[in-house]
Amino acid sequence: MLRVHRSKTPYERCVYPVLKEALEKTDLSQIQLAKECGVAQSTIIRWTFGDCECTVKFLLKLEEITGKPFRELFGGCEGRR
């Protein structure tokens, strides 16, 4: 039998601490956030893991959704790059 590990929250592995906290407060799933931003869920996963760079359009949408500015969301980054 295949076991699937589910995170406690959809953003548990997010490498940006403030972004993680802000997204968890929105109660949006990764799928809902992807729809809000007009991207695939896999894109949201790569962005929150620090695996690829975000577009300005996405950053502006994150500011709108979370109510926090870019510098606050991505400050204290533990990203892979």
Side-chain angles (χ1 to χ4, degrees):
M1 179 195 297
L2 178 65
R3 290 184 180 206
V4 177
H5 175 265
R6 299 244 183 236
S7 297
K8 294 177 185 173
T9 72
Y11 306 103
E12 183 177 8
R13 295 182 55 202
C14 182
V15 296
Y16 309 103
V18 176
L19 176 62
K20 174 187 173 192
E21 183 181 331
L23 289 173
E24 287 173 346
K25 286 181 180 178
T26 67
D27 289 328
L28 290 175
S29 69
Q30 289 178 343
I31 294 170
Q32 292 167 320
L33 180 61
K35 286 181 183 178
E36 286 277 329
C37 296
V39 298
Q41 181 185 6
S42 60
T43 302
I44 298 296
I45 292 168
R46 288 194 314 270
W47 284 337
T48 58
F49 285 7
D51 286 343
C52 67
E53 295 180 8
C54 303
T55 63
V56 172
K57 181 179 176 181
F58 175 70
L59 295 174
L60 292 172
K61 191 67 173 176
L62 278 180
E63 287 184 341
E64 179 185 320
I65 290 169
T66 63
K68 294 187 177 287
F70 166 80
R71 290 185 187 270
E72 186 175 342
L73 290 172
F74 293 94
C77 169
E78 298 171 13
R80 296 181 184 173
R81 292 183 183 214

